[in-house]
Amino acid sequence: MILAVASGKGGTGKTTVSVNLARQLGSGVQLLDCDVEEPNTNLFLDCTEPEEEIFGIPVPCVDEALCDGCGECGRFCQFHAIVSFGTKPVIFPEMCHGCGGCMAVCPKRAISEVSQRMGLIETSRSGNITLIQGRLDIGVSMAPPLIRAVKARLQDGMPAILDAPPGTSCPVIATLRGTDMVVLVTEPTPFGLHDLKLAVDMVRELRIPFGVVVNRMGIGDDRVYAFCGKEGIPILLEIPYDRRIAEICSRGELIVDALPEYSSLFATLLWNIKELRGMERRASYVRSAN
Amino acid sequence: MKIAFSTSGETLEAPLDSRFGRAPKFILYDLERDYFEVIDNRQNLNTSQGAGIQSAETIARSGVGCIVTGHCGPKAFRVLSAAGIAVYNCGEATVADALKAFREGTLKTMDSADVEGHWI
Amino acid sequence: MSGARIEELVVISGKGGTGKTSLTASFAVLAADAVIADCDVDAADLHLVLAPRVLERHEFKGGHEALIRKEDCTGCGLCRVYCRFDAIGMVREPNRRPTFAVDPVSCEGCGVCVRFCPVKAMDFPERVCGEWMVSDTRCGPMVHARLGLAAENSGKLVSIVRREARRIAEEKGKEVIIVDGPPGIGCPVISSLTGASQVVVVTEPSVSGEHDLERVLALTKHFSIPTAVCVNKWDINQEMTERIEKMSCGAGARLVGRIRYDSAVTTAQLRELAVVETDALSAEDIRSVWDNLGF
């Protein structure tokens, strides 16, 4: 099963849930950090030296001998990544989305593609966990291609946990697409509830089964519970507010290691996720039978 | 020769806009005929990325020989250079003052971008 | 060319959940006569505290999206061959040959399929990706926005919100703009801080807070913007707080104070009040941070 951990609001504890769940699983699991702008899962795990792989996207390269400066490439490009005024085109690789349009429209077949570096993919190990992190170079703004490349490392048959970036924009969609289930982490505060609603709209649009983890239980009020109750959203786990948890996370330690009394929390979460998965499967079986 | 000024207004008394990429308008002044026209660049004001490139394309297609503006970012500068358009850097308050300074030959051409991209 | 001197303070955090928005709301109250801009367009929360009364709403369009006119589609599938974003799916219906449809969430808006459709069965309209609003609050005018699902151009929306805030400040003769910035270090953050008078980074004393702060400081240094750092919930990890402050000084940032961990921050949020409008203990710390910022 491929499970994504996401949240509308940042700082609700996505990474905390992902790493502790992965460790609690005990058997081999792939943990993918898809928050490629600020990957920091490795800070919570004692990892082996990462193997690095450079990731790039295809960007245009013009053969001056063939180009007659007709400017068709520049007129076509939606992203202003290539511009021409009767001379060899000027190319801005950082603007390019890698759609291949300029190459396809060029009447002289003067455009080919070369790879432009966007970041790194780092693979390392920590006990039962294989950690795969994408890391975007500073100043690069296009996360989805790198996220897709990180996800291409998923191995068939091995369970995987994907730590999504916060929010509901394209990088999040790129992460969630194709996963079997989503865990939305929230906190029982007005900000938490507001951002949870946005995230719920998103996963519903993507038609992925999901449940909610309420972190820092006890700090706010019960509006998150009322919302989940009304919408029929299962609450998979509540993590109590405990200052010791905040302190442990601030030091980059795992709850399941440092606070054994809380390791049952993540065992419960695992159990509830499996239950929800079973229910969804039965429901989809019934749907297809009808 | 025609010469372009980045501005927020439609007359020679209008302020010179210091932002090339996100200037709302350009005044194109024809030095031979002492006549000017205004082109709208507001479409560009709303561009997330590539405002400089689009402004530079607009300027290149307008057939001017040079542009007088406040600051010019690296992408716009590359496009303007490729199109053979000289970029003059100017701190004058209005288009008329900038035109005067240009005629007197006191403006300097830029030989590289003078601000980072994303300059608002 | 801005006439009067308008000071623009941008509040950012790198990592999410450090208390950026709560702090911005307090700054808005303390500034008393500022224009407020919520540039955290992806998950805007400031309105939950400032309760804006919306005066104007504007559609936000960004880029294009491909659409297949089903009645004209011959089902040749060339669009799917050309699409590099896996955005085209087959539609099977009984007693009809299959046609194709664009998944709007995956469509990158490159237009390649539109261009090469042999029967010209595709349209390429502008995409509505959200809205932005001009409102009134108890602390002054506010510009805020809402980005649609899976929308990409948040940098552009951030630019619009800032531009409108500046326009209002010029119009109404306000001297201060307070901006709630987006999290992260990507394009929207860059759009929110370029050309600002001062940036204040709200961080927390944790390994992830430290890591993200380092990337944020590299960014503000790159754009040469005067940067202040304040550590929220400092007493969660005193050792880390000291480490972060030392690192910030080394990176050329100015320290403007510590804010204690205080559960009354959540209580204020529940009452839709800024922390400084309550008698929370941390309100005192926030006032001192504001004084140190010197606005």
Side-chain angles (χ1 to χ4, degrees):
Chain A
M1 170 162 82
I2 302 171
L3 176 81
V5 182
S7 74
K9 184 179 180 312
T12 55
K14 268 185 317 293
T15 305
T16 304
V17 169
S18 310
V19 288
N20 283 287
L21 191 62
R23 179 51 46 83
Q24 180 66 36
L25 195 61
S27 53
V29 59
Q30 286 187 301
L31 180 58
L32 273 57
D33 191 341
C34 296
D35 191 357
V36 299
E37 254 180 47
E38 285 168 312
N40 50 24
T41 307
N42 62 323
L43 303 177
F44 293 85
L45 296 168
D46 204 4
C47 288
T48 55
E49 192 61 31
E51 284 166 39
E52 291 183 350
E53 196 180 323
I54 291 173
F55 170 72
I57 62 162
V59 299
C61 169
V62 179
D63 183 341
E64 223 166 324
L66 296 176
C67 174
D68 66 355
C70 72
E72 187 60 12
C73 51
R75 281 189 293 278
F76 179 78
C77 181
Q78 289 292 319
F79 311 111
H80 313 287
I82 185 163
V83 178
S84 163
F85 304 100
T87 51
K88 186 189 170 187
V90 182
I91 295 167
F92 298 97
E94 66 275 32
M95 313 284 294
C96 179
H97 288 223
C99 72
C102 53
M103 188 167 70
V105 301
C106 177
K108 297 286 175 195
R109 300 259 166 267
I111 303 179
S112 56
E113 290 180 320
V114 291
S115 180
Q116 163 83 11
R117 180 187 156 133
M118 292 189 78
L120 288 172
I121 298 173
E122 305 163 347
T123 307
S124 55
R125 269 164 205 86
S126 167
N128 66 315
I129 300 169
T130 303
L131 175 64
I132 305 171
Q133 286 197 140
R135 190 181 297 274
L136 214 55
D137 290 341
I138 288 197
V140 175
S141 62
M142 271 181 292
L146 177 52
I147 292 171
R148 287 192 286 265
V150 168
K151 285 174 71 182
R153 300 291 184 286
L154 283 172
Q155 270 173 33
D156 274 346
M158 205 204 264
I161 297 172
L162 276 56
D163 189 359
T168 55
S169 56
C170 321
V172 188
I173 306 274
T175 304
L176 302 193
R177 184 164 287 276
T179 58
D180 300 312
M181 186 174 297
V182 178
V183 170
L184 296 175
V185 185
T186 187
E187 50 184 40
T189 63
F191 290 3
L193 173 61
H194 176 260
D195 298 349
L196 173 65
K197 286 178 180 167
L198 299 175
V200 165
D201 286 346
M202 167 181 69
V203 282
R204 284 196 171 142
E205 172 103 15
L206 291 170
R207 296 199 189 94
I208 306 172
F210 68 99
V212 163
V213 167
V214 180
N215 193 7
R216 304 191 187 102
M217 171 185 81
I219 59 163
D221 61 7
D222 54 9
R223 279 180 271 177
V224 163
Y225 300 95
F227 169 74
C228 291
K230 191 171 119 265
E231 297 283 325
I233 300 166
I235 292 181
L236 303 170
L237 179 70
E238 292 169 273
I239 304 174
Y241 176 70
D242 180 335
R243 198 182 159 115
R244 286 178 306 161
I245 294 183
E247 287 168 6
I248 278 164
C249 294
S250 84
R251 293 198 298 267
E253 292 170 23
L254 296 188
I255 299 172
V256 291
D257 292 342
L259 292 173
E261 65 266 43
Y262 282 137
S263 68
S264 67
L265 283 179
F266 293 93
T268 310
L269 178 56
L270 262 181
W271 172 261
N272 286 339
I273 287 168
K274 284 178 188 159
E275 276 289 288
L276 181 59
R277 172 95 169 128
M279 270 164 51
E280 288 294 336
R281 279 194 163 156
R282 284 192 290 278
S284 76
Y285 176 75
V286 170
R287 273 197 300 271
S288 65
N290 289 341
Chain B
M1 184 179 75
K2 278 205 288 185
I3 156 172
F5 298 87
S6 57
T7 180
S8 49
E10 299 193 348
T11 64
L12 294 183
E13 281 65 50
L16 187 77
D17 199 307
S18 62
R19 313 158 305 172
F20 171 71
R22 296 196 185 272
K25 294 188 172 78
F26 291 113
I27 283 182
L28 310 182
Y29 194 89
D30 191 322
L31 288 173
E32 279 89 44
R33 296 192 290 159
D34 271 334
Y35 156 90
F36 71 88
E37 59 180 315
V38 181
I39 55 175
D40 201 279
N41 194 41
R42 262 175 308 185
Q43 183 64 30
N44 250 354
L45 219 54
N46 291 334
T47 312
S48 58
Q49 291 184 314
I53 300 174
Q54 282 183 66
S55 293
E57 282 186 72
T58 306
I59 288 299
R61 294 193 207 293
S62 73
V64 300
C66 61
I67 161 90
V68 178
T69 186
H71 302 283
C72 180
K75 292 184 188 127
F77 192 83
R78 270 184 66 200
V79 175
L80 292 168
S81 316
I85 294 168
V87 183
Y88 288 89
N89 188 272
C90 173
E92 299 292 343
T94 67
V95 174
D97 292 343
L99 179 62
K100 185 159 164 275
F102 179 82
R103 283 198 160 125
E104 287 165 356
T106 56
L107 294 184
K108 285 207 176 74
T109 51
M110 285 166 50
D111 42 22
S112 67
D114 69 334
V115 286
E116 289 289 342
H118 277 286
W119 200 82
I120 287 195
Chain C
M1 291 266 89
S2 50
R5 193 91 213 114
I6 296 171
E7 296 282 330
E8 192 175 10
L9 174 70
V10 183
V11 187
I12 56 172
S13 66
K15 185 184 179 307
T18 62
K20 170 177 65 62
T21 301
S22 292
L23 202 59
T24 309
S26 284
F27 288 169
V29 170
L30 292 170
D33 195 29
V35 178
I36 304 141
D38 189 351
C39 287
D40 189 353
V41 296
D42 199 12
D45 285 334
L46 195 55
H47 66 279
L48 298 175
V49 179
L50 296 181
R53 197 165 54 87
V54 178
L55 305 174
E56 296 170 29
R57 273 177 200 278
H58 302 265
E59 234 175 35
F60 166 62
K61 290 180 178 167
H64 295 254
E65 67 183 317
L67 284 176
I68 298 175
R69 291 188 307 275
K70 199 169 132 191
E71 65 279 13
D72 295 330
C73 176
T74 59
C76 73
L78 204 59
C79 47
R80 185 143 82 162
V81 175
Y82 272 105
C83 181
R84 290 194 175 173
F85 307 100
D86 208 9
I88 297 192
M90 194 186 276
V91 184
R92 288 177 193 280
E93 280 166 312
N95 308 322
R96 230 192 133 181
R97 75 172 144 174
T99 55
F100 289 84
V102 180
D103 168 14
V105 177
S106 296
C107 177
E108 191 89 1
C110 69
V112 174
C113 56
V114 180
R115 165 77 172 240
F116 287 98
C117 175
V119 292
K120 301 277 167 262
M122 300 190 77
D123 296 321
F124 200 42
E126 257 194 306
R127 193 195 292 247
V128 175
C129 334
E131 58 174 352
W132 56 272
M133 292 146 278
V134 177
S135 301
D136 215 8
T137 74
R138 62 181 182 278
C139 317
M142 170 168 170
V143 186
H144 48 130
R146 225 178 106 121
L147 197 63
L149 190 61
E152 183 191 18
N153 269 321
S154 53
K156 172 173 169 179
L157 189 51
V158 165
S159 300
I160 293 176
V161 169
R162 279 185 77 200
R163 186 191 73 209
E164 287 302 309
R166 183 164 282 270
R167 188 182 57 75
I168 291 169
E170 279 169 3
E171 238 173 61
K172 305 202 166 173
K174 308 265 185 194
E175 284 165 7
V176 177
I177 301 174
I178 293 176
V179 180
D180 189 5
I185 58 154
C187 173
V189 182
I190 296 172
S191 303
S192 78
L193 56 75
T194 45
S197 331
Q198 190 169 157
V199 167
V200 56
V201 189
V202 186
T203 186
E204 59 173 33
S206 68
V207 283
S208 11
E210 183 191 31
H211 173 260
D212 295 356
L213 177 65
E214 236 180 303
R215 299 204 10 136
V216 167
L217 292 178
L219 196 70
T220 58
K221 195 171 188 173
H222 179 79
F223 288 103
S224 320
I225 303 167
T227 304
V229 170
C230 112
V231 184
N232 193 11
K233 308 175 205 166
W234 72 271
D235 41 348
I236 292 276
N237 188 336
Q238 185 162 357
E239 200 184 313
M240 181 62 85
T241 297
E242 281 159 15
R243 220 164 87 188
I244 282 179
E245 290 178 339
K246 208 170 146 203
M247 186 259 281
S248 306
C249 288
R254 184 164 71 97
L255 299 177
V256 284
R258 300 170 171 183
I259 301 168
R260 73 193 83 174
Y261 177 76
D262 185 356
S263 57
V265 171
T266 308
T267 317
Q269 208 185 94
L270 292 171
R271 294 168 57 201
E272 298 181 25
L273 291 173
V275 179
V276 294
E277 291 173 310
T278 70
D279 52 7
L281 293 172
S282 56
E284 203 182 309
D285 303 341
I286 297 174
R287 284 200 184 88
S288 130
V289 167
W290 175 251
D291 289 341
N292 288 336
L293 282 169
F295 270 81

